[in-house]
Amino acid sequence: MNSKPYNNRLGIKGWMYAGPYTFERYLYLGHRVSGLGLIAYMVLHIVETANRIRGEEAWAGLMALFASPPFRVIEYLLFCMAVFHAMSGLRLILIELGFFLAKPQEPIYPYKSSVMKHRPLTYVIMILAFVVMVMGSSSLFYK
């Protein structure tokens, strides 16, 4: 047994960087970041709705602020985060349920990965998410 303590000299880089990133690793990070963004939006939405207590003038002023172009861009980015998170979640659910995985086989080195079996699903879902995001951009210009 090694009694010498493990010395992690990577610091924050070691916490953030886990080796060469693959497409799925970037999707994992995007799913996490979009989830945190949606949680932050929920908290801000509760605060914004609670602003109704301050009176009609404060509410109208806040709604005018939210109707400004910078907030409409932020609203579109929120929409994109929601679409990405939902589509990525659908992809994860399908994979966790066992769809698009390779047939089980005896683990003989070098191990075969089932990534190539579900990567086409990943591409289809992400292209669909991109199409929905582009279609949703129409509300940015026609409100």
Side-chain angles (χ1 to χ4, degrees), residues 1 7-8 28 42 56-57 74 77 90 94 107-109 113 118 123 130:
M1 184 174 206
N7 192 2
N8 181 4
Y28 166 80
M42 284 187 219
E56 194 64 35
E57 296 83 23
I74 291 170
L77 292 175
L90 176 65
L94 289 174
I108 301 173
Y109 186 81
S113 173
H118 64 76
Y123 290 144
F130 179 75

Side-chain angles (χ1 to χ4, degrees), residues 25-118:
R25 180 71 177 181
Y26 285 114
L27 290 177
Y28 166 80
L29 289 173
H31 191 78
R32 289 285 174 106
V33 169
S34 64
L36 292 174
L38 291 171
I39 289 171
Y41 167 73
M42 284 187 219
V43 171
L44 290 174
H45 182 69
I46 291 169
V47 170
E48 170 260 331
T49 305
N51 196 31
R52 181 83 177 177
I53 295 173
R54 294 181 48 212
E56 194 64 35
E57 296 83 23
W59 178 257
L62 188 61
M63 291 300 107
L65 176 68
F66 288 161
S68 67
F71 277 96
R72 292 184 61 188
V73 171
I74 291 170
E75 182 181 11
Y76 174 68
L77 292 175
L78 176 68
F79 169 75
C80 289
M81 278 195 312
V83 168
F84 175 81
H85 193 79
M87 294 303 228
S88 182
L90 176 65
R91 177 186 68 88
L92 291 172
I93 288 170
L94 289 174
I95 291 170
E96 289 294 324
L97 289 176
F99 298 107
F100 300 97
L101 291 179
K103 290 182 180 178
Q105 52 186 320
E106 189 175 342
I108 301 173
Y109 186 81
Y111 306 117
K112 293 184 179 177
S113 173
S114 63
V115 168
M116 292 319 218
K117 288 285 189 180
H118 64 76

